[in-house]
């Protein structure tokens, strides 16, 4: 089997996890220029914006990089559930001097236009989450010479991806920040710490390159997993406080203090399980006992709230996604952070 580094066209077995809202073209390009795999998140964004982001990244690097897409299924709109949630959101916003406009249109975009865009740009690595491509789509993408990396949070999901001829599998431990990649079950009950999940999969009949992610913050951790049979490791939260990150200054300052922060899994912002810094909005929605519409409906309902909170620097009403070890994030440029990781990796 060819080494995954050779397949991806990179120098190191370390990469950057896609973090929508945090990752920038500058971050992806910096990782790529240092010999790692940078990943540009496209999921949930308009095609025109994705086109611009890919072009910006290409202007900053001539090295390979991946794009990430969401394969979430289209969901049925429950108007009564939406009305109850909008009533709650309007009350919460009114009490906190945040404007709220009733949403009446819930456009659910499909992922194939983003995939076609990636093909047009010559992207050769597509990673995905929240689902799996259909067999005809997989055949088409393989014919285009595209390497496919799926996301699994359980052994069952890893087996599903393997059975569907996905080229490599990212194993996402429960420690990871941001959205869970779960797609077979809308629950976190079967989700395991990365070490346990990896041991389950590596000792199974699955014969695919395995990528580990979730709670990693040192190059030596990546090396340990690779010594045990993993092919690659990705880091996410470690890059949140970087110069190139688009995270709120509040989050960057908080994480760079080096003090552990309280994170929790919630559906409050998007309707899909995600881990982030516990805040007022999470508590108000989670404790309301009101049914949360599924992704992407809830994500659409809270989009303007999150945008306003970020613009006005109100962290208690924005989604501050990060993992359980995010306090190891450093305020520095990506080149410095990544080179420190590779040094730790090779010196272990």
């Amino acid at each position: 089997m060819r080494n995954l580094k050779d397949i991806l066209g990179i120098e190191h077995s370390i990469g950057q996890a896609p973090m929508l809202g945090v990752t920038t073209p500058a971050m992806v390009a910096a990782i790529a220029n240092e010999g790692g795999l940078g990943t540009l998140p496209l999921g949930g964004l308009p095609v025109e914006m994705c086109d611009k982001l890919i072009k910006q990244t290409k202007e900053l690097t001539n090295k390979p990089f991946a794009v990430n897409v969401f394969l979430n299924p289209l969901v049925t709109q429950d108007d009564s559930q939406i009305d109850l949630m909008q009533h709650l959101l309007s009350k919460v916003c009114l009490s906190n001097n945040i404007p709220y406009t009733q949403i009446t249109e819930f456009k659910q975009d499909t992922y194939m236009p983003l995939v076609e865009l990636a093909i047009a740009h010559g992207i050769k690595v597509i990673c995905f989450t929240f689902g799996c491509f259909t067999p005809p789509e997989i055949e088409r993408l393989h014919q285009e010479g595209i390497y496919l990396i799926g996301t699994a949070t359980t052994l069952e999901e890893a087996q599903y991806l393997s059975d569907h001829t996905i080229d490599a599998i990212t194993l996402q431990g429960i420690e990871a920040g941001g959205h869970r990649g779960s797609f077979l079950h809308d629950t976190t009950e079967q989700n395991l710490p990365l070490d346990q999940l990896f041991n389950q999969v590596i000792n199974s009949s699955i014969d695919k390159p395995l990528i580990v992610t979730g709670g990693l913050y040192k190059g030596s951790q990546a090396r340990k997993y690779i010594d045990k049979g993993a092919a690659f490791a990705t880091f996410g939260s470690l890059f949140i406080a970087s110069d190139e990150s688009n995270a709120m200054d509040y989050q960057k300052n908080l994480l760079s203090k080096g003090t552990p922060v309280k994170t929790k899994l919630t559906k409050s912002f998007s309707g899909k399980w995600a881990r982030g810094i516990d805040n007022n909005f999470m508590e108000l929605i989670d404790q309301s006992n009101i049914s949360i519409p599924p992704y992407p409906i809830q994500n659409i309902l809270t989009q303007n709230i999150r945008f306003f909170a970020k613009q006005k620097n109100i962290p208690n009403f924005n989604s501050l996604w990060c993992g359980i070890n995010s306090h190891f994030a450093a305020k520095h440029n990506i080149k410095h952070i990544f080179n420190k990781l590779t040094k730790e990796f090779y010196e272990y």
Side-chain angles (χ1 to χ4, degrees), residues 83-101:
D83 289 344
L84 285 172
M85 179 53 66
Q86 293 220 85
H87 180 66
L88 173 62
L89 292 175
S90 62
K91 284 174 56 180
V92 167
C93 288
L94 182 63
S95 299
N96 291 276
N97 297 314
I98 295 174
Y100 185 76
T101 303

Side-chain angles (χ1 to χ4, degrees), residues 54 154 205 225 235 249 263 270:
I54 293 174
T154 63
S205 60
Y225 276 105
F235 295 76
D249 287 340
T263 66
S270 71

Side-chain angles (χ1 to χ4, degrees), residues 237-243 255-256 326 328-333 337:
S237 297
L238 190 67
F239 301 125
I240 290 177
S242 68
D243 297 342
L255 297 184
S256 61
S326 54
F328 287 97
K331 273 195 170 183
H332 223 300
N333 61 63
I337 298 170

Side-chain angles (χ1 to χ4, degrees), residues 26-38:
M27 180 186 293
V28 176
I31 297 286
N33 287 335
E34 294 307 308
L37 183 68

Side-chain angles (χ1 to χ4, degrees), residues 143-344:
Q143 289 174 348
E144 294 285 351
I146 293 174
Y147 195 78
L148 298 175
I149 303 175
T151 307
T153 62
T154 63
L155 173 60
E156 182 185 10
E157 289 177 343
Q159 187 65 62
Y160 185 98
L161 295 171
S162 177
D163 292 344
H164 283 70
T165 68
I166 299 306
D167 300 301
I169 302 168
T170 295
L171 302 178
Q172 185 189 39
I174 195 67
E175 306 94 332
H179 284 95
R180 306 299 301 152
S182 307
F183 62 93
L184 292 181
H185 304 286
D186 184 26
T187 176
T188 59
E189 292 176 2
Q190 295 177 304
N191 288 191
L192 298 171
L194 178 59
D195 196 50
Q196 293 181 37
L197 177 60
F198 175 76
N199 287 338
Q200 279 191 358
V201 178
I202 198 71
N203 291 313
S204 72
S205 60
I206 295 170
D207 186 24
K208 299 285 184 179
L210 301 178
I211 298 168
V212 291
T213 194
L216 302 179
Y217 58 91
K218 291 184 70 175
S220 56
Q221 294 172 308
R223 181 65 178 274
K224 286 179 183 179
Y225 276 105
I226 287 170
D227 287 347
K228 291 193 293 183
F232 201 77
T234 61
F235 295 76
S237 297
L238 190 67
F239 301 125
I240 290 177
S242 68
D243 297 342
E244 293 87 346
S245 165
N246 193 41
M248 291 181 70
D249 287 340
Y250 167 87
Q251 187 175 11
K252 290 186 178 185
N253 293 334
L254 181 64
L255 297 184
S256 61
K257 289 179 180 178
T259 304
V261 297
K262 181 184 178 183
T263 66
K264 65 175 286 190
L265 289 166
T266 182
K267 286 187 174 183
S268 59
F269 281 105
S270 71
K272 188 168 180 64
W273 290 111
R275 181 182 295 281
I277 297 171
D278 196 8
N279 64 19
N280 290 358
F281 184 86
M282 284 187 192
E283 298 301 325
L284 288 168
I285 304 304
D286 288 342
Q287 295 175 12
S288 69
N289 294 321
I290 291 179
S291 175
I292 298 175
Y295 183 91
I297 303 297
Q298 180 73 356
N299 199 60
I300 295 169
L301 289 174
T302 66
Q303 185 172 13
N304 290 337
I305 298 173
R306 289 178 281 119
F307 180 79
F308 181 86
K310 188 167 187 176
Q311 296 301 310
K312 299 296 183 180
N313 196 30
I314 310 173
N316 267 314
F317 286 82
N318 193 24
S319 50
L320 306 174
W321 303 138
C322 58
I324 64 169
N325 291 319
S326 54
H327 56 289
F328 287 97
K331 273 195 170 183
H332 223 300
N333 61 63
I334 288 290
K335 180 177 180 178
H336 174 90
I337 298 170
F338 188 82
N339 285 340
K340 182 174 182 291
L341 275 177
T342 56
K343 187 171 185 289
E344 293 167 346

